[in-house]
Amino acid sequence: MKKHSPFSFRQMLFGIVFLLAFSGMVIFLFSYGRDEKRFTNLTAELFAGEMRSNTLSMHYTLANPADFGIGDYEPVLSCYDAGRTLRSQAETENTLAALKALNPDKLSGSDAYLWRLLIRTLENSLALSSFPYYGEPLSPASGTQSNLPILLAEYPFRSRRDVEDYLSLLNQTDDYFASLLTYEQEKAAAGFIMPASFLKEVREQCDTIVTKEALEDGTHFLQTTFQERLDSLVSEKIITAEEAVAYTSQNQRLLKTVLLPAYIALGDGLLLLEDDSVLPAGLAALPEGRAYYEQLLISETGSYRPVTEIREMLAEQFSKEYGEIRKLAENHPEIVEYIAKSTAEPFPYKDASQMLYDLQNRMKDEFPDLPGTVASIAVKAVSDSLEPYCAPAFYLTAPLDDTDSNSIYINRSKTPDGLELYTTLAHEGYPGHLYQTVYHNRSALASGERPARELLWYGGYQEGWAVYVEFHAYDYAAELLSEHGQEAAALTAQLEAHNRSLQLCLYSLIDVMIHYDNASFEQITELLQKCGIRNIDAATSIYHYIIQNPCNYLKYYLGYLEILSLREEARKLWDTDYTDYRFHLFYLDSGPSDFLSLEEQLAACDPTADNSRY
């Protein structure tokens, strides 16, 4: 029998060790690949399912659904159904369980971050589902009855399929509104009906948004905007003139026989629910209303801070802004004189395109360039017939896969010219919503970000950013005014910035007082009077608006304060390597997120690494 030499034995031993190590690596790689594959399939199914279940949402998210594997869908408006809501809750629980069964350490960096975002979003969604009748889809201030027509009027037509999908959705509006009425009836039976005065406001909107007279005259905005979009398709030779005529006929018929009766039926149904004994009050007046408000805060703002801490943040910021206003007024008495003048100097720019060009130039040193080619911007006036129902301005969010052409709509009845238009364009355009959206969409596509990320909406991340850059725009405006020799106007711009911040802070505090502390109208009126708002009608309007839209102001202002907090943390972590540009790059590259996840993302950054992007 041949003996092994020490060398051959060591070879054999090494081979055994190598095989053991190799088999361990195979097991690891298999496990790693298994989790990655499961996550890929799970997120793909989640995204496709959500897109197929809501065509309106899909159309505003994707320009070409087929490119994302969604070619076989039926146009559908997602109607309310109590049974479907329970099934959806069960599906959420199943999805959450499947996600928690995965090991995020075995996912890529971007997938691990998406995993974390999905877990938190779904957990919050489940928590909110425990309060089925606390939401209000028909809010007088921003309900479906006023928002749906705007979404239909701005529904882009890129193809023949888009027109046919639109008409199919229009044909479902009667069932859709009927389901909303069913929800309101269920709410009433459960003791959660809207105050009678609010229901009356909604009924009045139902009576005026779509009228028989406007449809007979052919002047309704859902007629005129439809024709404008068809004309574009004809000019691009996507459809023929004959097809356009046929589509127009269908639209006219559906507006008169489906949408108009749907509004009438909704209004009539709400009339039967009016109860004069139900008075306006905040969420805190409802059973478990405070618990619901805590969850709603997370959902709307992305902030996980307790309400007590949020209240302290707001109170501290209010004092700070008040002090800045007082200091400016004391150090520059000429501001008071300037504001009192009836003939103030005109703002250097009148045209919106000039203002946007100026904003883009001034932001260059502080914000990263957009990936890819220049994004075109069209500034449009809101249709006269839409003005009563539209915000002062809005950016029509570009789809994930089509960011070259963008539109900002200005409601001239609510947005003055000058400084206010300049800062509004910053909020909606550069460096606000348009810039942020195009940056994220292009970066997401270029990096292979999973489309499921588009399902996650974070009001605080988006609206907080818009407020944050809006205050930058006040500084830009002050620079611009100084360059034109308007020093008093420049100082006034700084004062206006602090005044706007103070106002948003005040309304955010009132939101907490009403919905968490159960403050009465008398208490809110007293506070407003101390802040200089003594008109009872103005106080009533503020009180009612905040009741109708819980967390709305916080979505903007708490989001803004969270960004400031995150920025201060970045200053501490990066020390002398900190710049605003670097912070903005981090914020934008992280993409839409809740602020807890952003804090964790920031803490995980290695500021000393040579290849660190931040």
Side-chain angles (χ1 to χ4, degrees):
M1 180 176 174
K2 185 178 179 181
K3 292 183 179 179
H4 290 288
S5 67
F7 177 77
S8 62
F9 179 77
R10 284 197 299 269
Q11 277 188 317
M12 183 176 68
L13 182 63
F14 175 78
I16 293 171
V17 171
F18 174 78
L19 285 172
L20 288 172
F22 179 75
S23 63
M25 186 180 296
V26 168
I27 292 170
F28 170 77
L29 290 175
F30 176 76
S31 176
Y32 180 95
R34 182 189 62 192
D35 282 60
E36 192 74 36
K37 185 175 181 180
R38 286 180 177 176
F39 188 74
T40 299
N41 294 337
L42 185 62
T43 53
E45 290 172 7
L46 187 63
F47 180 72
E50 288 296 318
M51 291 295 98
R52 288 194 178 96
S53 68
N54 191 328
T55 308
L56 195 61
S57 176
M58 181 182 71
H59 189 74
Y60 277 97
T61 304
L62 302 173
N64 301 290
D67 294 346
F68 295 82
I70 307 171
D72 56 339
Y73 67 89
E74 293 294 325
V76 59
L77 278 177
S78 185
C79 297
Y80 167 76
D81 175 78
R84 183 180 299 167
T85 300
L86 290 175
R87 290 193 297 274
S88 177
Q89 185 176 345
E91 289 170 3
T92 300
E93 290 173 346
N94 291 338
T95 302
L96 191 56
L99 284 168
K100 287 185 174 180
L102 303 178
N103 185 348
D105 293 335
K106 295 177 181 178
L107 303 177
S108 67
S110 62
D111 280 351
Y113 190 58
L114 175 57
W115 177 90
R116 194 186 320 157
L117 294 173
L118 282 168
I119 291 287
R120 285 176 174 153
T121 296
L122 293 175
E123 286 178 340
N124 186 247
S125 178
L126 275 180
L128 284 172
S129 69
S130 301
F131 306 91
Y133 296 121
Y134 285 67
E136 187 44 77
L138 296 178
S139 167
S142 59
T144 302
Q145 74 284 355
S146 58
N147 284 338
L148 180 63
I150 295 172
L151 292 174
L152 291 174
E154 301 300 337
Y155 193 101
F157 289 170
R158 305 180 185 94
S159 65
R160 179 182 285 102
R161 174 69 190 264
D162 288 342
V163 182
E164 292 170 355
D165 284 353
Y166 171 90
L167 292 170
S168 180
L169 295 178
L170 190 59
N171 195 30
Q172 298 173 45
T173 51
D174 51 355
D175 291 336
Y176 182 62
F177 276 20
S179 77
L180 292 178
L181 179 58
T182 297
Y183 176 72
E184 294 296 335
Q185 291 166 341
E186 290 179 8
K187 278 186 67 173
F192 292 94
I193 192 61
M194 267 193 286
S197 59
F198 292 179
L199 283 170
K200 184 179 180 182
E201 285 184 60
V202 178
R203 285 197 298 104
E204 288 173 350
Q205 291 175 11
C206 290
D207 291 342
T208 57
I209 289 174
V210 182
T211 66
K212 181 180 179 181
E213 292 74 19
L215 293 178
E216 291 295 337
D217 293 342
T219 57
H220 193 274
F221 61 83
L222 286 175
Q223 293 171 309
T224 56
T225 57
F226 184 83
Q227 192 60 52
E228 289 166 2
R229 286 171 286 169
L230 285 186
D231 290 344
S232 295
L233 291 182
V234 172
S235 65
E236 295 170 19
K237 301 187 183 306
I238 295 174
I239 63 173
T240 66
E242 291 75 17
E243 287 174 323
V245 170
Y247 286 140
T248 299
S249 177
Q250 289 184 55
N251 185 55
Q252 301 279 49
R253 177 179 61 81
L254 292 172
L255 289 174
K256 293 177 181 178
T257 62
V258 179
L259 186 63
L260 177 60
Y263 269 103
I264 293 172
L266 179 60
D268 290 347
L270 293 177
L271 175 62
L272 298 176
L273 298 179
E274 288 184 16
D275 181 349
D276 291 329
S277 68
V278 180
L279 301 176
L283 293 172
L286 300 175
E288 299 184 274
R290 293 176 70 181
Y292 171 72
Y293 182 66
E294 289 172 330
Q295 290 301 141
L296 188 66
L297 263 172
I298 296 172
S299 177
E300 291 293 309
T301 70
S303 174
Y304 279 79
R305 298 177 192 268
V307 177
T308 51
E309 185 178 345
I310 291 171
R311 188 192 288 110
E312 289 171 5
M313 284 178 69
L314 292 169
E316 182 180 334
Q317 191 69 22
F318 187 89
S319 297
K320 180 180 176 181
E321 296 297 347
Y322 181 80
E324 291 296 331
I325 291 172
R326 186 171 182 174
K327 187 193 303 181
L328 263 174
E330 288 174 351
N331 294 341
H332 300 280
E334 65 270 25
I335 296 178
V336 178
E337 182 182 348
Y338 177 82
I339 293 174
K341 285 170 59 179
S342 58
T343 55
E345 296 172 281
F347 195 78
Y349 297 130
K350 291 183 179 180
D351 186 71
S353 59
Q354 290 178 310
M355 293 181 180
L356 283 166
Y357 182 76
D358 185 74
L359 286 163
Q360 289 176 76
N361 282 333
R362 293 181 190 276
M363 66 178 274
K364 284 181 178 177
D365 293 338
E366 295 182 294
F367 300 88
D369 293 335
L370 287 178
T373 58
V374 175
S376 66
I377 313 169
V379 180
K380 305 176 182 178
V382 169
S383 168
D384 291 346
S385 52
L386 271 173
E387 285 182 348
Y389 317 109
C390 282
F394 62 91
Y395 163 61
L396 194 61
T397 306
L400 173 64
D401 52 336
D402 184 11
T403 55
D404 291 339
S405 300
N406 296 270
S407 297
I408 295 174
Y409 289 80
I410 303 295
N411 187 340
R412 290 296 183 182
S413 69
K414 297 179 181 178
T415 303
D417 293 326
L419 177 64
E420 190 167 345
L421 178 59
Y422 185 87
T423 54
T424 296
L425 289 169
H427 183 114
E428 302 296 342
Y430 283 93
H433 289 313
L434 185 155
Y435 167 78
Q436 183 187 37
T437 300
V438 174
Y439 187 100
H440 168 69
N441 286 3
R442 290 182 176 179
S443 298
L445 278 179
S447 64
E449 183 82 57
R450 298 196 186 280
R453 185 77 185 266
E454 300 303 303
L455 301 177
L456 306 179
W457 178 86
Y458 299 96
Y461 178 92
Q462 291 161 316
E463 296 299 353
W465 173 264
V467 171
Y468 173 80
V469 299
E470 184 182 328
F471 289 131
H472 275 64
Y474 278 101
D475 292 335
Y476 297 158
E479 291 175 5
L480 174 63
L481 290 162
S482 291
E483 290 166 4
H484 284 75
Q486 300 181 34
E487 296 299 337
L491 288 168
T492 303
Q494 295 176 23
L495 183 70
E496 288 291 342
H498 291 298
N499 185 58
R500 172 148 171 78
S501 183
L502 188 78
Q503 184 184 57
L504 290 173
C505 188
L506 172 63
Y507 293 167
S508 297
L509 276 165
I510 290 175
D511 193 288
V512 174
M513 291 173 64
I514 290 174
H515 294 295
Y516 193 75
D517 300 327
N518 202 21
S520 65
F521 175 65
E522 290 72 24
Q523 289 172 307
I524 299 304
T525 302
E526 182 181 352
L527 173 62
L528 290 172
Q529 286 176 344
K530 290 178 180 178
C531 295
I533 302 174
R534 297 181 175 85
N535 183 286
I536 191 65
D537 290 336
T540 302
S541 178
I542 293 167
Y543 179 69
H544 284 179
Y545 181 85
I546 293 175
I547 285 177
Q548 294 166 6
N549 293 274
C551 297
N552 186 59
Y553 280 113
L554 286 158
K555 177 171 58 184
Y556 290 81
Y557 200 72
L558 179 58
Y560 162 67
L561 294 184
E562 287 283 10
I563 293 173
L564 294 186
S565 176
L566 198 66
R567 188 176 67 178
E568 286 309 303
E569 188 60 30
R571 287 186 197 275
K572 295 175 186 176
L573 288 171
W574 299 341
D575 196 24
T576 56
D577 292 326
Y578 174 87
T579 64
D580 282 350
Y581 179 95
R582 189 178 179 187
F583 172 70
H584 297 155
L585 185 64
F586 160 78
Y587 190 83
L588 292 164
D589 279 355
S590 296
S593 312
D594 62 80
F595 288 105
L596 181 57
S597 297
L598 284 170
E599 288 172 17
E600 294 168 351
Q601 191 83 334
L602 180 64
C605 288
D606 181 1
T608 63
D610 293 336
N611 62 349
S612 174
R613 183 163 165 78
Y614 312 118

